Amino acid sequence: MMIKRRTLMALTATATLALSAGASLAEGLMDRAKGDGLRVAFYNFSPYAYKDDSDTLVGTDVETLAAVLDKMGGKIAEANSTEWGALIPGVKADRFDVVAAGMFVTPKRCAEVQFSEPTFGIKQAMLVLEGNPKGVSNYESIAENGLKVGAVAGAAQVGYAQSAGIDDANISQLPDNPTGVAALKAGRIDAWAVSGPGVRQIIASDPGGVESTPVFAEVAGQPAVSHGAFAFRKDDAEFVAAFNQAMNEFIGSPEHIAIMEKHGMTADELPISTTSELCGG
């Protein structure tokens, strides 16, 4: 079948326009990074991005992001504290350019946003009352004994609890760590499920009367080493590729390890999987 010259020209123009649009989106974000700076969304949650006692935004994610952007000649323009459930919708709606919140890379999230390569890979733990009176060791121990667990609403720990066979009625989804610790101390839950570094940070803030279980790397027979990354719009994949190139030289460097250790993480929590592997999950 022959294609008329006018039709061919129209098709070519359409394809060229589409390619140009994609390129301009990527160039636009790079220009923004090097100009006014990127708009960052964070969830106020230690150790990833949180306000310290002087109301300064600190944390492993936001400080890593700032360091990598600096190497690219870019910067952060503003940082917006955002509810967890509004992070991905916000970046997709162009209210933010990047999410820096210790967000775990999962296949479901990969369908919605473009993740950078991971910045950390962490094991899991439980916060329990001092002396661990219920004998909690992991999600399976909670399921086997009909205990109750709490986790941040929408966080990966909710999925871990469900995969271990914990009844939904025994899973409390709460807004933040202080609420979870309060629920634990009040006896409304028997354990507060957080990452290993998250538990360490809670204890370091000295709430008293609580302790950590040993960390564990499997839930329901599956690996449970959670990898966190920065989330961008899918249209910004070209920018993310350049960002990854700069970041790969930074992750694991002495400067990066110093940021991790300052916020209670360690070199043992460097990433061990790629975003491609995690998204294919």
Side-chain angles (χ1 to χ4, degrees):
M1 182 179 71
M2 296 184 62
I3 301 176
K4 292 182 179 180
R5 184 170 181 273
R6 184 177 297 175
T7 303
L8 180 61
M9 291 175 64
L11 290 170
T12 301
T14 300
T16 301
L17 183 62
L19 288 171
S20 298
S24 66
L25 281 168
E27 291 168 358
L29 192 57
M30 185 68 81
D31 290 342
R32 181 178 292 169
K34 293 182 176 181
D36 293 337
L38 297 189
R39 301 164 298 167
V40 179
F42 71 97
Y43 178 69
N44 195 41
F45 190 86
S46 175
Y48 311 115
Y50 61 101
K51 293 292 187 74
D52 65 11
D53 293 339
S54 62
D55 203 38
T56 300
L57 180 60
V58 296
T60 56
D61 265 41
V62 70
E63 291 178 41
T64 295
L65 176 64
V68 174
L69 286 175
D70 183 65
K71 293 179 183 300
M72 299 173 69
K75 61 185 178 182
I76 294 172
E78 61 185 62
N80 303 276
S81 179
T82 307
E83 287 297 318
W84 184 264
L87 291 170
I88 286 179
V91 77
K92 289 176 67 176
D94 198 26
R95 291 193 292 273
F96 321 117
D97 298 310
V98 55
V99 173
M103 183 172 283
F104 295 165
V105 181
T106 66
K108 183 178 179 180
R109 289 174 180 156
C110 291
E112 296 195 72
V113 295
Q114 176 71 46
F115 279 109
S116 70
E117 286 302 314
T119 62
F120 62 81
I122 58 175
K123 298 179 177 68
Q124 308 304 312
M126 299 278 183
L127 188 75
V128 295
L129 293 177
E130 197 168 29
N132 195 5
K134 298 295 182 70
V136 173
S137 57
N138 52 25
Y139 291 95
E140 288 82 356
S141 68
I142 292 172
E144 290 166 4
N145 294 293
L147 302 178
K148 296 181 179 180
V149 66
V152 171
Q157 282 76 20
V158 175
Y160 289 146
Q162 293 168 334
S163 68
I166 300 174
D167 291 339
D168 285 341
N170 286 339
I171 302 172
S172 294
Q173 298 193 48
L174 303 173
D176 50 38
N177 273 338
T179 307
V181 173
L184 176 64
K185 289 185 173 183
R188 294 192 296 272
I189 57 175
D190 301 301
W192 178 240
V194 200
S195 66
V199 168
R200 291 200 298 269
Q201 286 290 326
I202 292 171
I203 293 173
S205 69
D206 196 25
V210 295
E211 64 181 56
S212 176
T213 65
V215 295
F216 50 92
E218 285 190 1
V219 176
Q222 297 299 315
V225 180
S226 300
H227 286 74
F230 301 108
F232 297 83
R233 286 178 293 278
K234 282 188 172 289
D235 286 339
D236 293 322
E238 211 171 309
F239 173 85
V240 176
F243 180 86
N244 282 336
Q245 186 174 354
M247 190 174 70
N248 286 341
E249 298 174 2
F250 181 76
I251 298 300
S253 67
E255 184 181 356
H256 179 231
I257 298 299
I259 290 173
M260 294 179 73
E261 291 179 342
K262 180 169 60 173
H263 298 287
M265 297 181 74
T266 72
D268 290 336
E269 289 155 341
L270 289 170
I272 60 174
S273 296
T274 66
T275 292
S276 177
E277 292 168 339
L278 296 163
C279 287

